[in-house]
Amino acid sequence: MSSLRELQAGFRAAILGDDGAGVAAAVVDDDIGASARLAIYRHHVFASLTAALEATYPVVTRLVDRRFFGWAADRYVRARPPAGPCLAEYGGDFPAFLAQFPACAHLPWLADVARLEWAMNVALHAPDAATLEPIALQALEPRALARLTLRFEPSLTLIHSAWPIDAIWRANQPASDGVVDLGAGAARLEVRRLGDDVVFRTLPSGAFAFRAALAGGRSLEDAVERALDAEPGFDLAREIRALLEERVLAA
Amino acid sequence: MAGGAHRGTGIACPKDAMHPSGCGIGLRAPHVAEILDRRPPIGWLEVHAENYMGGGPAARALERLRADYPLSIHGVGLSLGSADGIDGRHLERLAALVERLQPALVSEHLSWSVAGGAYLNHLLPLPYTDEALDVLCANITRAQERLGRRLLVENPSGYLRFRDTSIPEPQFLNALARRTGCGLLCDVNNVYVTCSNLGGDAAAWIDALDAGSVAEIHLAGHAVNDADGRTILIDDHGSPVAEPVWGLFGHALRRFGATPTLIEWDTDVPALDVLLTEAATATRRLVKAGDVVAA
């Protein structure tokens, strides 16, 4: 008699791998065979997780078509099953998986589109957080200000792609025709939740470099240096005002 | 419609006005805006815990709805049957949610989904053995201690039986209730599906359950499929409650008395009014059962 732990390990192998023999021996085999009964469970696990991934990645699903997506999802689920039961949190490394997936090698922008969709999913479910009051920065000495590190509110993600992933995303909304100019160049996007809506917008290269540096934990001084490298005309005063007015900084 | 009609009939006699009574519905995303807008009479609402562990519009909408409707939190991810024990981080998140929303009921399942750190998104079956009973009791006790309240434990729908099983499912549930003090959530559709798939008399299954422990009933539709050329029922929550399940519900009410009942619908979610019509059907039967009990 196997212990419950062994039985569950065997069941896991039967669901995620191809090794159903061990657990099948523990299952009553009658007019419906043990393997057919186990297949009911396996089918539900894969169908429900594929549906969860489709819900998070609707544009990727449309770009590769549902059958291909289902196959990619099947490979992904086997390699990276969820670590927890909140399905909105499942699939964060699906973009990295797609980037390495040989069958998608001819779609070099696909993984970046997936990164955009993941950022939108994160924004939708991010906790509501208090944002920094403008007054908080006014009290600081210039020297302290330069060394300051700032955090963004938790719904915000910055994404840089060599591909026009914003245009690809828009062209693949339900009512759109899917036509897009892949030569349109790089995208520097800020994704966040505003009220109940998830939005993204393009940032100028200086502002993007500045915010990306801050998001990476660099000091204000370092971030300014990077912004000026990216865009010599970067206007720091205006950008600080924008950060506070847009309420993107966490309190 | 649902709700309203059952008030004043003495069903469940809640001390707290926001305690579930009569028939509720499982809250699903496509209906949230309409319920907020129309505020239809619904006995109570039940939500899946794991859908509300983040923030955002869904969590905010639920904050508003819980002011007007009694609330039940139904977990699907605690994996009470895991031999590895339950995931402490997930239990903490559930405890935070329960603390925040203060639901009238909290329920989970007689099943497992986690092995070796992987979450297999399904209510997976257990062998009903003394060993499994000990595992379940330890996990339920830990959860109840952390949550500071009684859990209701639901019977799953079964598609297989383990050779090692030595305790019938209703007796296994009774033993959990006796040893941990947990309540029972009797999913009548699951009883019907399990008895059909594994062989067994559904009415006798209901008769074997300890009526005093049953604090909630679930109803849902199932699909009729085929496996190895034989009929197999799949608990897909994708259609109206089947006629024989309504019959079994009547039997359950005669045995358990008028018990808060939930209509669940998860696949091909229909218009809200379809759910409310199902809830109204259940409410009529609850009222009848309440009258019988009152008499």
Side-chain angles (χ1 to χ4, degrees), chain A:
Chain A
M1 188 194 289
S2 74
S3 74
L4 186 60
R5 184 175 275 108
E6 288 167 43
L7 183 76
Q8 289 174 342
F11 210 106
R12 177 195 151 138
I15 298 270
L16 293 179
D18 299 311
D19 178 19
V23 79
V27 172
V28 174
D29 197 40
D30 45 20
D31 53 343
I32 298 174
S35 62
R37 291 185 181 277
L38 284 166
I40 295 168
Y41 291 95
R42 187 187 301 111
H43 172 78
H44 179 90
V45 170
F46 280 90
S48 62
L49 291 176
T50 299
L53 290 169
E54 278 180 8
T56 300
Y57 295 102
V59 170
V60 171
T61 305
R62 176 167 165 171
L63 285 167
V64 299
D65 95 47
R66 279 193 74 188
R67 273 189 62 195
F68 182 91
F69 188 91
W71 179 64
D74 181 278
R75 298 286 106 189
Y76 173 71
V77 169
R78 285 170 200 272
R80 307 276 180 86
C86 296
L87 295 187
E89 295 166 13
Y90 181 50
D93 55 6
F94 190 57
F97 172 84
L98 288 178
Q100 300 293 319
F101 198 47
C104 294
H106 64 296
L107 306 173
W109 31 265
L110 190 67
D112 282 357
V113 174
R115 285 167 62 213
L116 172 57
E117 292 202 288
W118 180 254
M120 295 179 77
N121 177 61
V122 167
L124 182 64
H125 297 99
D128 297 298
T131 53
L132 195 68
E133 294 298 329
I135 195 90
L137 293 186
Q138 285 169 15
L140 290 173
E141 298 286 322
R143 206 172 254 240
L145 202 60
R147 284 197 302 271
L148 193 65
T149 58
L150 295 163
R151 282 180 309 118
F152 287 101
E153 55 93 356
S155 85
L156 186 142
T157 305
L158 297 158
I159 300 179
H160 178 230
S161 172
W163 301 91
I165 54 174
D166 47 345
I168 296 173
W169 188 91
R170 286 198 187 90
N172 285 284
Q173 292 310 296
S176 305
D177 60 6
V179 177
V180 57
D181 174 14
L182 287 175
R188 292 177 187 83
L189 304 178
E190 180 184 78
V191 183
R192 65 181 297 214
R193 189 172 76 232
L194 278 178
D196 281 355
D197 299 319
V198 173
V199 295
F200 61 80
R201 62 174 185 141
T202 301
L203 293 180
S205 56
F208 184 90
F210 182 68
R211 293 184 186 202
L214 290 178
R218 301 197 171 269
S219 69
L220 206 58
E221 200 170 26
D222 277 2
V224 172
E225 214 167 287
R226 279 159 192 263
L228 287 168
D229 284 348
E231 187 184 329
F234 175 72
D235 180 345
L236 177 62
R238 200 175 72 183
E239 174 63 13
I240 295 278
R241 223 169 28 243
L243 284 179
L244 294 169
E245 280 167 8
E246 292 164 16
R247 296 207 146 322
V248 289
L249 297 174

Side-chain angles (χ1 to χ4, degrees), chain A residues 8 26 28 82 89 128 196, chain B residues 60 81 93 119 159 161 163 228:
Chain A
Q8 289 174 342
V28 174
E89 295 166 13
D128 297 298
D196 281 355
Chain B
R60 279 201 295 272
R93 293 179 77 180
Y119 174 75
Y159 307 101
R161 255 181 318 134
R163 294 182 189 278
D228 275 1

Side-chain angles (χ1 to χ4, degrees), chain B residues 29-42:
Chain B
H31 298 146
V32 170
E34 189 178 349
I35 295 176
L36 277 170
D37 188 42
R38 275 173 56 188
R39 309 281 167 146
I42 303 170

Side-chain angles (χ1 to χ4, degrees), chain B residues 217-241:
Chain B
I217 289 175
H218 274 184
L219 291 172
H222 59 253
V224 181
N225 280 20
D226 175 282
D228 275 1
R230 302 285 177 147
T231 296
I232 192 130
L233 304 185
I234 305 291
D235 175 41
D236 70 344
H237 298 183
S239 56
V241 176

